[in-house]
Amino acid sequence: VQLVESGGGSVQAGGSLRLSCVASGFTYRNHCMGWFRQAPGEEREGVAHVDANGMTSYADSVKGRFTISRDNAMNTLYLQMNNLKPDETGMYYCAVASYGGCYPGSWWNWGQGTQVTVSS
């Protein structure tokens, strides 16, 4: 299993970024996929996930600003992030769950992460 994130960078508050995660080594379309982030000194937190049927869920803090999507033909997961805030600085990780549904504790593999820095 391999998950490779890209698209991170440095932006000013209010800016946008689009993260990508290319997956391989498993049947991508059959699995729930998610994005997580970890700020320095903080625990990793869930940002958004999309199940095998395309149903999405978001952390309350990002609703209306972030959009998760998946391209099953390209084995790629995306996270469009708009109106970014300085406290959203951190490492963003892509993850795959063991099942088609997204359940707590079912996250199976993680990418190496891509850094997002939002300046005020």
Side-chain angles (χ1 to χ4, degrees):
V1 173
Q2 190 171 24
L3 302 171
V4 180
E5 302 98 333
S6 63
S10 297
V11 296
Q12 290 192 322
S16 298
L17 285 172
R18 189 193 195 204
L19 306 184
S20 300
C21 170
V22 178
S24 61
F26 63 100
T27 307
Y28 175 79
R29 65 181 181 273
N30 290 346
H31 290 261
C32 166
M33 298 293 298
W35 286 101
F36 293 75
R37 65 187 177 196
Q38 187 168 21
E42 303 280 338
E43 291 189 357
R44 188 158 48 189
E45 63 174 351
V47 176
H49 53 73
V50 54
D51 71 13
N53 293 320
M55 184 169 295
T56 59
S57 180
Y58 297 90
D60 287 343
S61 61
V62 307
K63 285 179 180 176
R65 297 185 298 118
F66 289 15
T67 303
I68 188 171
S69 60
R70 64 189 299 160
D71 184 336
N72 289 341
M74 299 296 291
N75 285 7
T76 303
L77 181 73
Y78 301 100
L79 184 68
Q80 177 68 42
M81 305 186 294
N82 297 328
N83 193 19
L84 281 159
K85 303 176 181 180
D87 64 0
E88 293 178 318
T89 292
M91 191 69 77
Y92 282 67
Y93 299 91
C94 170
V96 55
S98 301
Y99 312 104
C102 305
Y103 308 109
S106 69
W107 300 103
W108 169 40
N109 261 284
W110 302 81
Q112 293 300 305
T114 185
Q115 177 68 36
V116 171
T117 302
V118 185
S119 59
S120 57

